[in-house]
Amino acid sequence: MRITKFENRYRDDMIFMVLQAKDALGRIPTINPDLLDIDTSYFGKGDMFWLAIDENDRVIGCVGCSRIPDADEAFLHRLYVKSSLKRTGIGSALLGTAEQWMRNNEITVSKVHLGEPKEQWFESYAFYPKHGYAEYKPRYMKKVL
């Protein structure tokens, strides 16, 4: 597995992986508008988006990061891992890549918004605390980097 900056040639494969990941969680698979245009939604704003790519050149995970204006903080977005490959370290590797980028860009606080109802987002509520994140208001967690 390798983690790489998003490239448009992986767009459709990434969208397919995200829809499958949502379906595996029992949610109605819908696509977030930012995933349709990563260049505008992330890179055009000075933000970042990464993909985890397997040995067959297929997308098996993704994560985005966007700065909070006028702050030394950033939000994580769209951390997804192919459902059959969860709990293999891919999510942790993607999160580590995003956090390192934040540190390198003088961002000192990483934040994430979690969905509701909490029961549908149980994996996120378990994943982030294992990586040092703590809830600071309902459905929001942060970590000081």
Side-chain angles (χ1 to χ4, degrees), residues 1-3 17 50-53 60-64 76-100 123-124 127-128 130-131 133 143:
M1 178 212 42
R2 66 184 167 90
I3 296 177
M17 184 274 305
W50 298 269
L51 301 173
I53 307 294
I60 56 173
C62 64
V63 67
L76 294 168
H77 303 281
R78 316 294 173 234
L79 178 54
Y80 288 103
V81 172
K82 184 176 179 179
S83 60
S84 63
L85 296 174
K86 289 185 178 183
R87 294 172 191 77
T88 62
I90 297 166
S92 296
L94 286 162
L95 179 61
T97 298
E99 290 178 348
Q100 188 59 52
E123 289 180 324
S124 295
F127 176 80
Y128 287 103
K130 289 179 186 176
H131 292 86
Y133 286 75
K143 174 181 178 179

Side-chain angles (χ1 to χ4, degrees), residues 15-26:
I15 289 171
F16 183 69
M17 184 274 305
V18 169
L19 291 173
Q20 283 185 316
K22 288 181 176 185
D23 186 56
L25 290 170

Side-chain angles (χ1 to χ4, degrees), residues 6-77:
F6 174 87
E7 296 175 38
N8 278 320
R9 68 185 173 116
Y10 291 113
R11 178 185 171 269
D12 293 347
D13 197 29
M14 175 197 64
I15 289 171
F16 183 69
M17 184 274 305
V18 169
L19 291 173
Q20 283 185 316
K22 288 181 176 185
D23 186 56
L25 290 170
R27 292 201 295 273
I28 296 172
T30 58
I31 196 65
N32 305 85
D34 62 313
L35 295 179
L36 297 173
D37 188 356
I38 298 294
D39 287 334
T40 300
S41 299
Y42 292 90
F43 301 143
K45 298 175 181 176
D47 298 328
M48 275 299 291
F49 201 93
W50 298 269
L51 301 173
I53 307 294
D54 72 7
E55 62 279 356
N56 297 312
D57 205 37
R58 298 295 307 268
V59 176
I60 56 173
C62 64
V63 67
C65 177
S66 62
R67 299 169 191 261
I68 298 171
D70 303 318
D72 61 349
E73 303 175 342
F75 265 102
L76 294 168
H77 303 281

